[in-house]
Amino acid sequence: MGLKEEINKRKTFAIISHPDAGKTTLTEKLLLFGGAIREAGVVKGRKTGKFATSDWMKVEQERGISVTSSVMQFDFDGYKVNILDTPGHEDFSEDTYRTLMAVDSAVMVIDAAEGIEPQTLKLFKVAKMRGIPVFTFINKLDRVGKDPFELLEEIEETLDIETYPMTWPIGMGPSFFGIINRRTKEINPYREETMLKLNDDYELEKSHDIEKDSAFQESIEEFMLVEEAGDAFDEEKIATGDLTPVFFGSALSNFGVEEFLDTFVDFAPSPEPLETKSGEVIDPTEEEFSGFIFKIQANMDPKHRDRLAFLRIVSGQFNRGMEVKLQRTGKKQKVTRATMFMADDTETVDVAYAGDIIGLYDTGNYQIGDTLTSDKHIEFKELPQFTPELFMKVSAKNVMKQKHFYKGIEQLVQEGAIQYYKTIHTNQPIIGAVGQLQFEVFEHRMKNEYNTDVVMEPIGNKQARWIENEEDIRDQMDTQRSTLVYDRYDNKVFLFENDFALRWFSDKYPEIKLYSLL
């Protein structure tokens, strides 16, 4: 098979949602359909000891949440599907933002009872900003939730996107009978084996007791209304992210997932061209290998102290043992160890293509946003970094463990979940984060992965601002209300006590040009 055919078989997407909408459960069921796992785990499976395959980190299993992005590949219907399960918790949205830069489409999971929640909205906006197709799975239909029309209206009004239901629910909660597949007019019953079929007049081809049920007749009437008055199916609008195909189901019961997957592989895009910093557009089918690092994860296997850099292949073909050039340093190196993922299981990869996500074993060479190529001099655009809002002074409880302490901080900072600063005069380490949970995970991982207990002292919310013209900074500007620190790259950063302190400083020193990250 040629390069172009291999690349066109790739479908790479991220799953996004608010916490507890069922995102990781849906991931598990998709893997089950792809034959990648024999038995799907349940996220909150503490009693059974059976955890979701994509939640490999100890803290995730204990708390029943995803705090890292997992990458998995499986085969379905002749396609190679790369699925990235992202952290649902808002404290880890930076990891999710970067993940959304490495995919060609997104799947949004919505809880039928809750509708659009704040984190869903935030992540959808990133997908919209990128203009990538978004597919929607409305989950937990086996529980009582909002009316289907209300859910569609909420998606359209809140997210400013048209909807096209690909399946339609019959009932909900205890009276949930099943879903109608709009493409085939087949009814997939929730509690029965036999599929039912609607004829052209929206009547069952073979008689069934459910026909006597008024709720069933009401659902059929709703379905007819959707058929006649709903938005038209428009493949072009799906491709530009202006229309979302909507599916109803229950991921936990593995219901409605196959209908979703069948449609997804038909309409989700294969790898798309990507623009470089200089404005050059790199086509995936170019012979020249290129890719970028969007995530670094230390200690996926604590026994081996390994560090993996997650690389999205943008163009060409990767071959194990090939020589690649790290554009940031200009250095060339052979890649002898690369891996494909099945969450907590990895296997050596010999060949991979544009659209695939591979893990490169890393001894500290790579950084998030690095571009790798076989030879060509290009650099892809920088990945987003957030301005942290919460800050903590941090030190090792045991001064004899300083070496472990600094190694742990360095590696966890390189993963991008926390940011590292130090005071100008005393070099006191300070870590910054978008949310409180990041600090808890940091403390947990320092203890479990680096054998170091840490002392953390909150210094509260701060307004962090970088400085364009550092040469104009003077000593008197470093005060209790505008503390001057270094970031990990030794750039100077002001930590302002609050909005008022920031405005006061800007008024007093208008010549100092301040800026924030995302």
Side-chain angles (χ1 to χ4, degrees):
M1 190 179 291
L3 180 67
K4 192 171 184 179
E5 288 78 12
E6 279 287 359
I7 290 169
N8 286 338
K9 281 167 59 178
R10 266 67 192 167
K11 303 281 181 178
T12 302
F13 71 99
I15 296 200
I16 58 176
S17 80
H18 197 83
D20 288 332
K23 171 182 56 63
T24 302
T25 306
L26 178 61
T27 305
E28 289 289 305
K29 300 309 193 239
L30 292 171
L31 293 170
L32 197 61
F33 270 111
I37 51 176
R38 287 197 182 89
E39 183 182 10
V42 177
V43 178
K44 293 188 170 60
R46 297 186 195 85
K47 288 181 183 171
T48 62
K50 183 176 71 177
F51 299 106
T53 307
S54 57
D55 285 345
W56 57 267
M57 195 188 283
K58 192 165 182 266
V59 69
E60 295 180 308
Q61 295 176 354
E62 287 173 358
R63 296 183 64 135
I65 55 166
S66 299
V67 297
T68 57
S69 300
S70 300
V71 182
M72 292 140 279
Q73 186 183 79
F74 64 93
D75 294 310
F76 184 81
D77 200 20
Y79 290 97
K80 293 272 184 194
V81 183
N82 294 295
I83 177 172
L84 284 75
D85 177 20
T86 62
H89 202 284
E90 62 184 345
D91 287 4
F92 291 84
S93 49
E94 189 169 352
D95 197 23
T96 304
Y97 268 53
R98 285 195 288 263
T99 298
L100 283 167
M101 300 296 151
V103 296
D104 302 304
S105 58
V107 172
M108 179 167 60
V109 185
I110 292 173
D111 184 323
E114 303 296 337
I116 301 291
E117 297 174 90
Q119 185 65 0
T120 319
L121 176 58
K122 193 173 177 184
L123 296 172
F124 172 79
K125 281 181 176 173
V126 184
K128 186 82 172 166
M129 180 181 78
R130 284 209 57 216
I132 60 175
V134 176
F135 296 76
T136 301
F137 188 88
I138 296 179
N139 195 22
K140 303 184 183 179
L141 263 289
D142 50 335
R143 301 181 193 178
V144 175
K146 294 182 179 181
D147 175 81
F149 283 115
E150 188 185 339
L151 286 162
L152 294 179
E153 189 179 353
E154 195 175 323
I155 292 168
E156 294 195 345
E157 289 186 359
T158 312
L159 305 180
D160 190 26
I161 190 171
E162 292 176 26
T163 59
Y164 185 91
M166 302 297 293
T167 59
W168 190 257
I170 301 172
M172 192 177 280
S175 64
F176 183 47
F177 178 78
I179 52 173
I180 308 169
N181 185 331
R182 201 165 167 189
R183 291 166 93 188
T184 62
K185 297 253 183 343
E186 283 184 321
I187 296 175
N188 184 359
Y190 181 55
R191 293 184 176 85
E192 297 176 25
E193 294 295 316
T194 313
M195 296 285 265
L196 307 174
K197 178 99 176 175
L198 294 173
N199 61 24
D200 292 340
D201 295 322
Y202 299 97
E203 295 167 341
L204 288 180
E205 287 186 347
K206 291 181 182 174
S207 62
H208 189 283
D209 288 345
I210 191 69
E211 288 175 291
K212 300 167 192 163
D213 191 287
S214 59
F216 174 80
Q217 291 303 331
E218 191 180 320
S219 294
I220 297 297
E221 284 167 21
E222 287 176 350
F223 179 66
M224 290 167 67
L225 183 61
V226 166
E227 286 274 86
E228 288 160 25
D231 289 319
F233 185 80
D234 189 327
E235 204 171 332
E236 206 171 291
K237 280 187 175 178
I238 294 173
T240 55
D242 293 311
L243 181 146
T244 179
V246 180
F247 304 81
F248 292 87
S250 165
L252 193 61
S253 308
N254 208 5
F255 187 78
V257 178
E258 191 170 11
E259 286 86 348
F260 158 73
L261 197 48
D262 272 335
T263 305
F264 174 81
V265 293
D266 284 347
F267 296 106
S270 296
E272 298 278 301
L274 192 65
E275 198 175 320
T276 66
K277 279 184 184 175
S278 66
E280 184 183 352
V281 176
I282 304 299
D283 193 272
T285 57
E286 281 186 24
E287 294 282 337
E288 175 94 23
F289 164 81
S290 69
F292 63 89
I293 308 280
F294 67 93
K295 175 182 171 62
I296 290 172
Q297 185 73 55
N299 306 323
M300 285 185 81
D301 182 351
K303 293 190 205 89
H304 295 106
R305 286 276 177 259
D306 57 347
R307 194 173 110 133
L308 280 178
F310 290 63
L311 178 101
R312 158 70 193 237
I313 303 176
V314 175
S315 67
Q317 176 178 325
F318 167 84
N319 296 295
R320 189 158 66 99
M322 76 186 291
E323 195 173 65
V324 298
K325 185 178 180 181
L326 176 56
Q327 295 292 339
R328 178 172 45 83
T329 63
K331 288 182 180 172
K332 289 190 172 184
Q333 63 189 77
K334 257 191 180 179
V335 180
T336 52
R337 295 181 71 204
T339 157
M340 280 280 194
F341 300 94
M342 236 315 300
D344 56 354
D345 188 22
T346 58
E347 59 180 60
T348 300
V349 60
D350 293 317
V351 183
Y353 298 89
D356 285 337
I357 310 288
I358 59 173
L360 306 180
Y361 285 89
D362 180 29
T363 54
N365 296 321
Y366 301 127
Q367 294 180 10
I368 288 170
D370 275 348
T371 298
L372 297 178
T373 68
S374 47
D375 193 43
K376 195 171 183 178
H377 181 67
I378 55 166
E379 280 193 80
F380 294 112
K381 291 179 178 177
E382 287 170 2
L383 296 179
Q385 192 180 22
F386 282 18
T387 298
E389 294 160 15
L390 299 171
F391 295 85
M392 291 256 191
K393 285 182 182 175
V394 60
S395 52
K397 205 169 194 176
N398 182 346
V399 291
M400 304 298 287
K401 294 211 169 173
Q402 293 285 53
K403 191 177 173 186
H404 290 277
F405 171 73
Y406 280 105
K407 184 182 179 183
I409 281 192
E410 182 189 5
Q411 293 201 346
L412 296 181
V413 164
Q414 284 172 345
E415 290 183 17
I418 55 165
Q419 292 183 29
Y420 176 71
Y421 305 88
K422 61 187 177 188
T423 54
I424 293 278
H425 301 296
T426 61
N427 287 337
Q428 163 69 51
I430 295 172
I431 57 173
V434 175
Q436 180 63 34
L437 182 58
Q438 287 175 315
F439 292 132
E440 293 173 33
V441 172
F442 168 78
E443 188 174 12
H444 183 283
R445 292 187 67 188
M446 287 293 284
K447 182 178 177 65
N448 286 276
E449 295 173 23
Y450 299 96
N451 196 26
T452 304
D453 286 305
V454 294
V455 178
M456 299 175 75
E457 182 191 336
I459 56 173
N461 285 45
K462 301 285 181 191
Q463 303 274 1
R465 292 294 182 271
W466 279 254
I467 305 135
E468 276 184 32
N469 50 331
E470 285 190 9
E471 66 279 1
D472 294 334
I473 297 296
R474 300 186 296 282
D475 286 349
Q476 66 263 37
M477 296 176 183
D478 182 11
T479 69
Q480 201 171 355
R481 298 178 68 188
S482 55
T483 309
L484 199 55
V485 297
Y486 290 118
D487 69 10
R488 60 183 281 216
Y489 303 110
D490 285 334
N491 298 313
K492 287 179 178 174
V493 183
F494 276 115
L495 301 183
F496 292 103
E497 195 172 45
N498 49 35
D499 254 343
F500 176 78
L502 171 58
R503 287 197 304 274
W504 182 88
F505 182 94
S506 297
D507 290 342
K508 187 171 173 65
Y509 304 111
E511 73 277 12
I512 303 300
K513 297 182 177 68
L514 303 173
Y515 67 95
S516 62
L517 308 177
L518 269 185

